Amino acid sequence: MRAIFIGNPNVGKSALINQLTGSRLLVANYPGTSHKISFVNKDDSYFYDTPGIYSLHGLGDSAGIVRDLLLDNTGFRIVNVVDAANLERNLVLTLEVLALGLPAVVVLNQMDIAANLSIEIDVEILARELGCPVIGLPDGEGRGLDRLMQWIKQPLDSDIGIDPLQLEKLSKDSASSQCQHCAQACQHNVITIDRETIERARTIAARVVRQQPAVRRTYLETVQGWLDRPVIGTVLLLALAYGLFTVMVTLVHYLEEPISSAVQPFSNILTALIQELLPPGMVNQVLSQAVPEGLVIPFTIIMPAMIIVSVFISLLEDTGLLPRYSVALERVTSFIGVSGQAIIPLTLGFGCRTPAIMATSLLPNAAERFIIATLLSIVVPCAASLGVMAAVIAKFHAYIWVVAATMLAVMLLLGFGLSRMMPREEAFVYELPPLRIPAWKNTWQKVISRTGGFFTEVLPLLLLMNIVLRALMETGVLEWFKGLQGFSQFFFGIPAEALVAVLITIFQRYLAPLVLLNLSLSPREATIAITMIALSLPCLPVMTMIVKEMGAKRLAFILAMGAISSFLVGVALNLILP
Amino acid sequence: MGVDELKTMKNLKIGDKARIASIDTGVAGSQQLMEMGLSPGSEFQLVARYPLRGPFLVKLGNNRIAVDYNLAQAVVIDELNEGPDVLDS
């Protein structure tokens, strides 16, 4: 059996499928978390998760994706997930869905939140008005979930299809929304939600919803009240961001010693083992140094940063704090020519930039997505890079404020320049989710999956690159670069070896600073080198993601911009810094 | 404000409730706005407006929707109930 889950953004479609099937679809408290169709298979039933939409006939990419799914398939049921606290708005989509003439059920979700707002909904009258089964969730006993599962598993005529009139309407919508893909807002494309549907939704909602004036405000509402005040809220949000950053840096700093002494014995054994097992010579010398180093450094420098950052980001996502930054910082993002919700992918980038590139899909158009992908690739440091950068900055007493200010300046300049290259009308309309206590299990799962990359990607890659690097050092290949000394000193004021480190970013950004750790640099040299590394090329997984989402041409452009910005920043800092 | 002048969301004070008369569909984002339920006939309350021509935050039912300055100008309102100076929700 096949069931397509359709509903407004942020009503909990993915979370519901996770509950029904035990799957692990990404769930967060902001509109636009899912942006593609994903499907889960359990006991011969297929569950299709779709991006949240407000109307089947809407203009955005998400509505198009859902329409295409409906048009390309036959023999399925529809589960319409509805936010009980916002029934009137949600019912517009419900009525559109029911008009398709397919077997459908309405899941009245987040009944607990509605109850907190003193909202009562008469489920029976609603079912009668809509002419389809309505299931309220959560119901505390899990009976609702069982009922839903049974309904989904009922046998179904395989050739049951969409009502022909509606089918024609959907195809027409899809054809006319094609020009949405140009960056400009199309004037000739007018909304096709019917006024009548809106009126009917209003009437039905008025008939079944009873909202008592809230007796008292919950403390979450009080917090939300403060955060949604323009000046105070912005100050509070920025203070929180600064606080989290400070906690991260401090924790990483204090954890380095204990972790390092914990893994040291292991590393010593490994060194001894390699020296013992391999015949003496070059290979022995390279491996006995590179392998323990390549294993220890990730654990002491990178892992703590990755764990802490992913905890913070998962919490920001699941509480609903993250989208609040998009309103508070709208003036800043508007300067770089993107709408406020760009804050979400940019923040996610501090965890890992690969999922952040995917999250750019919540931006309204291709031009904005490209600007943010460029900034993510060139400027935003991921948790792994942050860890390594922090270590290098600490070792050489580099000027942390120069590094941070330069990165911020490059981000603003680059964004400003790019947005002027792609003139278009920008708009910011975004729904703020209510603040929520995170579902701890979900947050925990996200932390696990976000730090999983440490073992599958960071550790093996660093080990490999470390071996290559050691080999280059031992064989004297690096000496050859000494010829670049004059060039490097003249332009960037850094020794040739540091320039080699910068060049290594081509292979792996967070590896490059490790080369610096082996050199002796002055604070000034370290500052320039680390800033050049921080503002350069994206790592391989990010490059792959960009090619997949935007094409090779765009990637080539981003790489060129990265190389140029890195070199210009080097030259500029060399001229400015005393 | 003159009676014959069109009032838009921009003219509202914090706490004011208003009903939407029409929306200028020529402005970028107006389609999205209507999809989200801010369409002619719906009533909302202004919760906050951010400084420096920043976004407007409105409450529509139990939803909070942020709308940029340009769009706020495109939302023409008719009925208006002045709210308290300091909003408490």
Side-chain angles (χ1 to χ4, degrees):
Chain A
M1 296 308 112
R2 294 189 294 177
I4 298 181
F5 285 61
I6 295 180
N8 281 190
N10 214 35
V11 294
K13 295 173 289 299
S14 309
L16 183 58
I17 294 180
N18 286 347
Q19 264 185 307
L20 284 168
T21 66
S23 55
R24 291 191 174 176
L25 298 171
L26 182 69
V27 172
N29 185 14
Y30 58 81
T33 310
S34 315
H35 53 89
K36 280 190 178 128
I37 309 283
S38 20
F39 76 88
V40 178
N41 180 358
K42 197 202 175 198
D43 310 335
D44 280 339
S45 295
Y46 292 86
F47 300 76
Y48 290 78
D49 189 21
T50 64
I53 54 171
Y54 295 102
S55 164
L56 279 180
H57 313 293
L59 283 178
D61 292 348
S62 303
I65 290 173
V66 177
R67 274 197 298 267
D68 291 345
L69 180 71
L70 294 175
L71 290 171
D72 295 345
N73 289 282
T74 52
F76 54 84
R77 309 165 162 277
I78 295 184
V79 178
N80 174 221
V81 187
V82 162
D83 176 8
N86 287 294
L87 194 60
E88 183 183 316
R89 211 262 319 271
N90 281 252
L91 280 181
V92 175
L93 180 62
T94 305
L95 292 171
E96 291 175 354
V97 166
L98 292 177
L100 299 177
L102 294 166
V105 66
V106 169
V107 171
L108 207 48
N109 207 15
Q110 304 177 350
M111 290 283 270
D112 46 346
I113 293 175
N116 278 339
L117 292 163
S118 311
I119 294 172
E120 273 175 52
I121 296 176
D122 194 320
V123 177
E124 269 167 43
I125 299 185
L126 182 62
R128 210 176 324 136
E129 291 278 346
L130 297 174
C132 76
V134 176
I135 300 173
L137 287 177
D139 57 356
E141 299 160 14
R143 228 181 275 163
L145 280 179
D146 290 344
R147 248 183 86 199
L148 180 58
M149 201 63 177
Q150 272 168 20
W151 183 85
I152 291 172
K153 293 199 159 172
Q154 281 170 49
L156 186 69
D157 233 348
S158 64
D159 56 341
I160 191 160
I162 299 171
D163 174 80
L165 250 170
Q166 293 293 325
L167 197 66
E168 197 186 326
K169 196 171 172 198
L170 283 184
S171 332
K172 228 187 326 183
D173 286 333
S174 276
S176 72
S177 67
Q178 290 303 321
C179 56
Q180 249 303 97
H181 295 291
C182 56
Q184 298 283 342
C186 285
Q187 298 277 333
H188 47 275
N189 241 331
V190 188
I191 195 142
T192 44
I193 308 183
D194 216 23
R195 284 297 286 276
E196 250 173 71
T197 313
I198 296 175
E199 278 309 318
R200 258 194 76 206
R202 229 169 249 169
T203 322
I204 298 177
R207 223 170 277 168
V208 299
V209 179
R210 215 142 301 143
Q211 181 164 20
Q212 253 84 43
V215 193
R216 59 187 175 85
R217 292 205 289 161
T218 62
Y219 78 96
L220 270 182
E221 284 174 305
T222 313
V223 175
Q224 186 175 310
W226 283 101
L227 288 179
D228 290 346
R229 274 169 212 226
V231 182
I232 301 170
T234 307
V235 171
L236 287 175
L237 286 170
L238 290 178
L240 175 68
Y242 181 75
L244 291 180
F245 184 74
T246 316
V247 169
M248 197 269 297
V249 173
T250 318
L251 275 178
V252 169
H253 179 72
Y254 281 110
L255 283 173
E256 199 185 325
E257 266 309 307
I259 296 178
S260 162
S261 49
V263 282
Q264 200 54 53
F266 177 70
S267 150
N268 291 342
I269 294 171
L270 209 59
T271 312
L273 211 65
I274 293 171
Q275 277 172 345
E276 198 62 39
L277 288 178
L278 290 178
M282 179 90 110
V283 178
N284 183 321
Q285 209 170 356
V286 168
L287 287 185
S288 64
Q289 277 189 11
V291 173
E293 210 175 57
L295 288 175
V296 170
I297 289 175
F299 276 104
T300 49
I301 301 178
I302 298 180
M303 194 180 66
M306 274 180 89
I307 293 177
I308 297 165
V309 172
S310 60
V311 169
F312 287 165
I313 288 181
S314 304
L315 284 175
L316 286 177
E317 271 190 335
D318 289 1
T319 48
L321 281 167
L322 191 50
R324 291 193 148 69
Y325 283 92
S326 68
V327 183
L329 299 177
E330 191 266 350
R331 289 288 75 198
V332 182
T333 58
S334 160
F335 179 77
I336 59 174
V338 293
S339 36
Q341 60 266 46
I343 290 294
I344 293 172
L346 284 176
T347 311
L348 295 180
F350 283 92
C352 175
R353 290 177 293 179
T354 319
I357 300 277
M358 276 167 70
T360 56
S361 56
L362 58 77
L363 291 166
N365 56 55
E368 291 193 16
R369 285 194 278 274
F370 178 59
I371 293 175
I372 294 303
T374 310
L375 295 182
L376 278 168
S377 306
I378 297 174
V379 186
V380 177
C382 67
S385 324
L386 271 178
V388 186
M389 279 168 62
V392 175
I393 288 174
K395 185 182 171 190
F396 298 109
H397 305 286
Y399 318 131
I400 185 164
W401 290 110
V402 174
V403 179
T406 313
M407 292 175 78
L408 194 65
V410 169
M411 176 155 120
L412 291 178
L413 278 175
L414 203 57
F416 185 82
L418 283 175
S419 71
R420 293 309 172 277
M421 272 168 60
M422 296 176 276
R424 82 217 102 86
E425 275 184 277
E426 24 163 310
F428 174 53
V429 198
Y430 199 59
E431 199 183 319
L432 278 185
L435 283 188
R436 245 178 244 167
I437 300 291
W440 301 113
K441 207 178 129 200
N442 180 47
T443 313
W444 175 242
Q445 270 176 12
K446 275 203 275 202
V447 171
I448 296 289
S449 79
R450 280 190 171 137
T451 40
F454 174 78
F455 292 99
T456 57
E457 189 196 308
V458 175
L459 204 54
L461 264 176
L462 269 181
L463 186 60
L464 188 72
M465 295 304 293
N466 219 38
I467 294 171
V468 173
L469 207 68
R470 273 281 159 209
L472 286 179
M473 282 174 167
E474 294 293 326
T475 51
V477 174
L478 281 192
E479 290 296 308
W480 181 83
F481 282 95
K482 280 275 198 287
L484 291 172
Q485 186 72 16
F487 169 81
S488 174
Q489 283 290 358
F490 178 76
F491 279 104
F492 313 119
I494 56 175
E497 293 99 323
L499 186 65
V500 172
V502 174
L503 293 176
I504 283 174
T505 49
I506 294 167
F507 300 111
Q508 196 59 317
R509 176 131 125 195
Y510 42 75
L511 178 82
L514 294 181
V515 183
L516 295 180
L517 284 178
N518 292 321
L519 306 174
S520 62
L521 298 172
S522 71
R524 182 182 192 272
E525 289 166 343
T527 306
I528 296 176
I530 197 78
T531 317
M532 285 178 75
I533 289 171
L535 297 163
S536 55
L537 307 181
C539 62
L540 210 57
V542 169
M543 292 192 207
T544 321
M545 183 60 73
I546 290 175
V547 171
K548 222 161 65 187
E549 300 273 314
M550 301 171 187
K553 240 185 185 170
R554 295 268 156 133
L555 176 67
F557 180 85
I558 291 176
L559 294 182
M561 295 296 286
I564 292 170
S565 65
S566 178
F567 276 64
L568 286 183
V569 158
V571 172
L573 284 181
N574 187 31
L575 289 174
I576 297 167
L577 285 183
Chain B
M1 217 174 310
V3 189
D4 46 356
E5 215 176 308
L6 281 183
K7 278 186 194 167
T8 67
M9 193 190 280
K10 214 184 80 181
N11 303 112
L12 294 178
K13 288 202 308 289
I14 291 169
D16 286 352
K17 288 181 180 167
R19 198 176 63 188
I20 298 179
S22 64
I23 293 177
D24 180 354
T25 50
V27 177
S30 55
Q31 308 292 334
Q32 249 179 304
L33 201 64
M34 287 197 265
E35 283 181 25
M36 285 187 186
L38 278 169
S39 52
S42 56
E43 285 171 26
F44 67 91
Q45 184 179 28
L46 185 65
V47 176
R49 45 193 299 177
Y50 285 71
L52 309 169
R53 294 186 159 226
F56 288 60
L57 189 60
V58 303
K59 196 171 168 223
L60 173 79
N62 293 303
N63 275 331
R64 277 167 184 236
I65 299 174
V67 176
D68 72 40
Y69 190 87
N70 269 340
L71 265 174
Q73 266 178 313
V75 179
V76 181
I77 51 173
D78 49 17
E79 247 171 68
L80 188 145
N81 291 306
E82 290 196 18
D85 284 344
V86 181
L87 190 66
D88 199 38
S89 71

